[in-house]
Short mmCIF file of all heavy atoms in Angstrom, two decimals:
data_model
loop_
_atom_site.label_atom_id
_atom_site.label_comp_id
_atom_site.label_asym_id
_atom_site.label_seq_id
_atom_site.Cartn_x
_atom_site.Cartn_y
_atom_site.Cartn_z
N GLY A 1 -8.89 8.22 5.95
CA GLY A 1 -8.05 7.69 4.89
C GLY A 1 -7.14 8.71 4.24
O GLY A 1 -6.50 8.42 3.23
N SER A 2 -7.04 9.91 4.81
CA SER A 2 -6.20 10.96 4.25
C SER A 2 -5.16 11.41 5.28
O SER A 2 -5.51 11.85 6.37
CB SER A 2 -7.05 12.15 3.80
OG SER A 2 -6.25 13.18 3.25
N PHE A 3 -3.88 11.28 4.95
CA PHE A 3 -2.78 11.64 5.85
C PHE A 3 -2.57 13.15 5.76
O PHE A 3 -1.75 13.64 4.99
CB PHE A 3 -1.52 10.88 5.44
CG PHE A 3 -0.44 10.82 6.49
CD1 PHE A 3 0.18 9.61 6.79
CD2 PHE A 3 -0.03 11.95 7.18
CE1 PHE A 3 1.19 9.54 7.75
CE2 PHE A 3 0.96 11.90 8.14
CZ PHE A 3 1.57 10.69 8.43
N GLY A 4 -3.32 13.87 6.58
CA GLY A 4 -3.23 15.32 6.59
C GLY A 4 -2.57 15.85 7.84
O GLY A 4 -1.91 15.10 8.58
N PRO A 5 -2.77 17.14 8.15
CA PRO A 5 -2.12 17.76 9.31
C PRO A 5 -2.44 17.08 10.64
O PRO A 5 -1.56 16.92 11.48
CB PRO A 5 -2.67 19.20 9.27
CG PRO A 5 -3.02 19.43 7.84
CD PRO A 5 -3.51 18.12 7.33
N LYS A 6 -3.70 16.69 10.85
CA LYS A 6 -4.08 16.07 12.11
C LYS A 6 -3.36 14.73 12.30
O LYS A 6 -2.87 14.42 13.39
CB LYS A 6 -5.60 15.87 12.17
CG LYS A 6 -6.09 15.35 13.51
CD LYS A 6 -7.62 15.29 13.54
CE LYS A 6 -8.12 14.80 14.89
NZ LYS A 6 -9.61 14.77 14.94
N THR A 7 -3.30 13.94 11.23
CA THR A 7 -2.61 12.65 11.30
C THR A 7 -1.11 12.86 11.50
O THR A 7 -0.47 12.13 12.28
CB THR A 7 -2.86 11.84 10.01
OG1 THR A 7 -4.26 11.67 9.82
CG2 THR A 7 -2.20 10.46 10.10
N LEU A 8 -0.56 13.86 10.84
CA LEU A 8 0.86 14.16 10.99
C LEU A 8 1.20 14.49 12.44
O LEU A 8 2.19 14.00 13.00
CB LEU A 8 1.25 15.32 10.08
CG LEU A 8 2.73 15.73 10.10
CD1 LEU A 8 3.62 14.60 9.61
CD2 LEU A 8 2.95 16.98 9.24
N ARG A 9 0.36 15.33 13.07
CA ARG A 9 0.60 15.68 14.47
C ARG A 9 0.50 14.45 15.37
O ARG A 9 1.32 14.27 16.28
CB ARG A 9 -0.42 16.75 14.92
CG ARG A 9 -0.18 18.13 14.33
CD ARG A 9 -1.00 19.18 15.06
NE ARG A 9 -2.43 18.94 14.93
CZ ARG A 9 -3.19 19.42 13.95
NH1 ARG A 9 -2.64 20.17 13.00
NH2 ARG A 9 -4.49 19.17 13.91
N ALA A 10 -0.49 13.60 15.09
CA ALA A 10 -0.67 12.39 15.91
C ALA A 10 0.51 11.43 15.76
O ALA A 10 0.96 10.82 16.74
CB ALA A 10 -1.97 11.70 15.52
N VAL A 11 1.03 11.29 14.54
CA VAL A 11 2.18 10.41 14.30
C VAL A 11 3.41 10.93 15.03
O VAL A 11 4.13 10.17 15.70
CB VAL A 11 2.46 10.28 12.79
CG1 VAL A 11 3.81 9.58 12.56
CG2 VAL A 11 1.36 9.48 12.10
N LYS A 12 3.68 12.23 14.92
CA LYS A 12 4.84 12.82 15.58
C LYS A 12 4.74 12.68 17.10
O LYS A 12 5.75 12.39 17.78
CB LYS A 12 4.99 14.28 15.19
CG LYS A 12 5.46 14.49 13.76
CD LYS A 12 5.69 15.97 13.46
CE LYS A 12 6.27 16.18 12.08
NZ LYS A 12 6.50 17.61 11.78
N LYS A 13 3.54 12.86 17.62
CA LYS A 13 3.33 12.70 19.06
C LYS A 13 3.61 11.27 19.49
O LYS A 13 4.27 11.02 20.52
CB LYS A 13 1.91 13.10 19.43
CG LYS A 13 1.61 13.01 20.92
CD LYS A 13 0.18 13.46 21.22
CE LYS A 13 -0.13 13.35 22.71
NZ LYS A 13 -1.54 13.76 23.02
N PHE A 14 3.12 10.31 18.70
CA PHE A 14 3.36 8.89 19.00
C PHE A 14 4.85 8.58 18.93
O PHE A 14 5.39 7.90 19.81
CB PHE A 14 2.59 8.02 18.02
CG PHE A 14 2.88 6.55 18.16
CD1 PHE A 14 2.28 5.80 19.15
CD2 PHE A 14 3.79 5.92 17.31
CE1 PHE A 14 2.57 4.44 19.30
CE2 PHE A 14 4.08 4.58 17.45
CZ PHE A 14 3.47 3.84 18.45
N GLN A 15 5.52 9.05 17.89
CA GLN A 15 6.95 8.78 17.74
C GLN A 15 7.74 9.33 18.92
O GLN A 15 8.64 8.66 19.44
CB GLN A 15 7.45 9.38 16.42
CG GLN A 15 6.93 8.67 15.18
CD GLN A 15 7.29 9.37 13.89
OE1 GLN A 15 7.29 10.62 13.83
NE2 GLN A 15 7.59 8.61 12.85
N SER A 16 7.39 10.53 19.35
CA SER A 16 8.10 11.12 20.49
C SER A 16 7.89 10.30 21.75
O SER A 16 8.81 10.11 22.55
CB SER A 16 7.59 12.56 20.72
OG SER A 16 7.93 13.40 19.64
N SER A 17 6.66 9.77 21.92
CA SER A 17 6.36 8.98 23.11
C SER A 17 7.12 7.67 23.15
O SER A 17 7.31 7.09 24.21
CB SER A 17 4.86 8.70 23.19
OG SER A 17 4.45 7.76 22.21
N LYS A 18 7.57 7.21 21.98
CA LYS A 18 8.30 5.95 21.89
C LYS A 18 9.81 6.15 21.73
O LYS A 18 10.54 5.19 21.53
CB LYS A 18 7.78 5.12 20.71
CG LYS A 18 6.32 4.69 20.84
CD LYS A 18 6.11 3.78 22.02
CE LYS A 18 4.67 3.32 22.12
NZ LYS A 18 4.46 2.41 23.28
N GLY A 19 10.25 7.41 21.83
CA GLY A 19 11.67 7.69 21.70
C GLY A 19 12.19 7.58 20.28
O GLY A 19 13.39 7.40 20.06
N LEU A 20 11.30 7.70 19.30
CA LEU A 20 11.67 7.61 17.89
C LEU A 20 11.89 9.03 17.33
O LEU A 20 11.46 10.01 17.93
CB LEU A 20 10.59 6.91 17.08
CG LEU A 20 10.24 5.48 17.51
CD1 LEU A 20 9.01 4.98 16.76
CD2 LEU A 20 11.41 4.54 17.28
N VAL A 21 12.52 9.10 16.18
CA VAL A 21 12.67 10.38 15.50
C VAL A 21 11.29 10.85 15.06
O VAL A 21 10.60 10.15 14.32
CB VAL A 21 13.60 10.24 14.28
CG1 VAL A 21 13.67 11.57 13.51
CG2 VAL A 21 14.99 9.80 14.71
N ALA A 22 10.89 12.02 15.51
CA ALA A 22 9.53 12.52 15.22
C ALA A 22 9.50 13.22 13.87
O ALA A 22 9.35 14.45 13.77
CB ALA A 22 9.08 13.46 16.33
N ASP A 23 9.63 12.40 12.81
CA ASP A 23 9.64 12.97 11.45
C ASP A 23 8.29 12.86 10.76
O ASP A 23 8.13 13.35 9.62
CB ASP A 23 10.72 12.30 10.60
CG ASP A 23 10.57 10.78 10.53
OD1 ASP A 23 9.54 10.26 11.02
OD2 ASP A 23 11.47 10.12 9.97
N GLY A 24 7.32 12.20 11.41
CA GLY A 24 6.00 12.07 10.82
C GLY A 24 5.90 11.03 9.72
O GLY A 24 4.83 10.88 9.11
N ILE A 25 6.97 10.29 9.48
CA ILE A 25 6.97 9.24 8.46
C ILE A 25 6.78 7.89 9.14
O ILE A 25 7.54 7.53 10.04
CB ILE A 25 8.28 9.25 7.65
CG1 ILE A 25 8.44 10.59 6.93
CG2 ILE A 25 8.30 8.10 6.64
CD1 ILE A 25 9.79 10.75 6.24
N VAL A 26 5.79 7.14 8.70
CA VAL A 26 5.50 5.84 9.31
C VAL A 26 6.24 4.77 8.52
O VAL A 26 5.72 4.16 7.58
CB VAL A 26 3.98 5.57 9.32
CG1 VAL A 26 3.68 4.26 10.06
CG2 VAL A 26 3.24 6.73 9.98
N GLY A 27 7.50 4.57 8.90
CA GLY A 27 8.32 3.54 8.29
C GLY A 27 8.39 2.31 9.18
O GLY A 27 7.61 2.15 10.11
N PRO A 28 9.38 1.41 8.95
CA PRO A 28 9.46 0.15 9.70
C PRO A 28 9.52 0.32 11.21
O PRO A 28 8.84 -0.39 11.94
CB PRO A 28 10.75 -0.47 9.16
CG PRO A 28 10.89 0.08 7.77
CD PRO A 28 10.37 1.48 7.85
N LYS A 29 10.33 1.28 11.72
CA LYS A 29 10.47 1.43 13.16
C LYS A 29 9.16 1.90 13.80
O LYS A 29 8.76 1.42 14.86
CB LYS A 29 11.61 2.39 13.50
CG LYS A 29 12.98 1.83 13.20
CD LYS A 29 14.08 2.78 13.63
CE LYS A 29 15.46 2.20 13.35
NZ LYS A 29 16.55 3.12 13.78
N THR A 30 8.50 2.85 13.14
CA THR A 30 7.22 3.33 13.69
C THR A 30 6.15 2.25 13.60
O THR A 30 5.35 2.08 14.53
CB THR A 30 6.77 4.60 12.94
OG1 THR A 30 7.78 5.61 13.08
CG2 THR A 30 5.46 5.13 13.51
N ARG A 31 6.13 1.50 12.48
CA ARG A 31 5.16 0.40 12.36
C ARG A 31 5.40 -0.64 13.46
O ARG A 31 4.46 -1.16 14.07
CB ARG A 31 5.26 -0.27 10.99
CG ARG A 31 4.65 0.52 9.86
CD ARG A 31 4.37 -0.39 8.66
NE ARG A 31 5.53 -1.19 8.28
CZ ARG A 31 6.44 -0.80 7.40
NH1 ARG A 31 6.34 0.39 6.82
NH2 ARG A 31 7.46 -1.58 7.09
N ASN A 32 6.67 -0.97 13.68
CA ASN A 32 6.98 -1.94 14.74
C ASN A 32 6.45 -1.48 16.09
O ASN A 32 5.89 -2.25 16.86
CB ASN A 32 8.49 -2.17 14.83
CG ASN A 32 9.04 -2.95 13.65
OD1 ASN A 32 8.29 -3.59 12.93
ND2 ASN A 32 10.33 -2.89 13.45
N ALA A 33 6.63 -0.19 16.39
CA ALA A 33 6.15 0.34 17.66
C ALA A 33 4.64 0.33 17.72
O ALA A 33 4.04 0.05 18.78
CB ALA A 33 6.67 1.77 17.84
N LEU A 34 3.98 0.58 16.62
CA LEU A 34 2.52 0.59 16.57
C LEU A 34 1.92 -0.78 16.82
O LEU A 34 0.92 -0.91 17.52
CB LEU A 34 2.04 1.10 15.20
CG LEU A 34 2.04 2.61 14.95
CD1 LEU A 34 1.88 2.89 13.47
CD2 LEU A 34 0.95 3.29 15.75
N PHE A 35 2.55 -1.81 16.26
CA PHE A 35 1.96 -3.15 16.29
C PHE A 35 2.66 -4.14 17.19
O PHE A 35 2.39 -5.34 17.13
CB PHE A 35 1.89 -3.71 14.86
CG PHE A 35 1.03 -2.91 13.93
CD1 PHE A 35 1.59 -2.21 12.88
CD2 PHE A 35 -0.33 -2.82 14.14
CE1 PHE A 35 0.79 -1.46 12.02
CE2 PHE A 35 -1.14 -2.08 13.31
CZ PHE A 35 -0.59 -1.39 12.24
#
């Protein structure tokens, strides 16, 4: 439940895999890709 360094790295890795901007922010585009 804490968005720390490990979660940040995982988010950026996911964003890169989906061709998104790897900024570590889980906004609408990243949420759409997740779900």
Side-chain angles (χ1 to χ4, degrees):
S2 180
F3 198 133
K6 186 175 181 179
T7 303
L8 182 63
R9 288 194 297 271
V11 169
K12 288 184 175 180
K13 182 179 179 181
F14 174 80
Q15 290 173 323
S16 294
S17 72
K18 296 297 182 180
L20 301 172
V21 176
D23 56 7
I25 299 173
V26 185
K29 290 184 179 180
T30 300
R31 285 199 309 270
N32 289 343
L34 281 166
F35 298 113

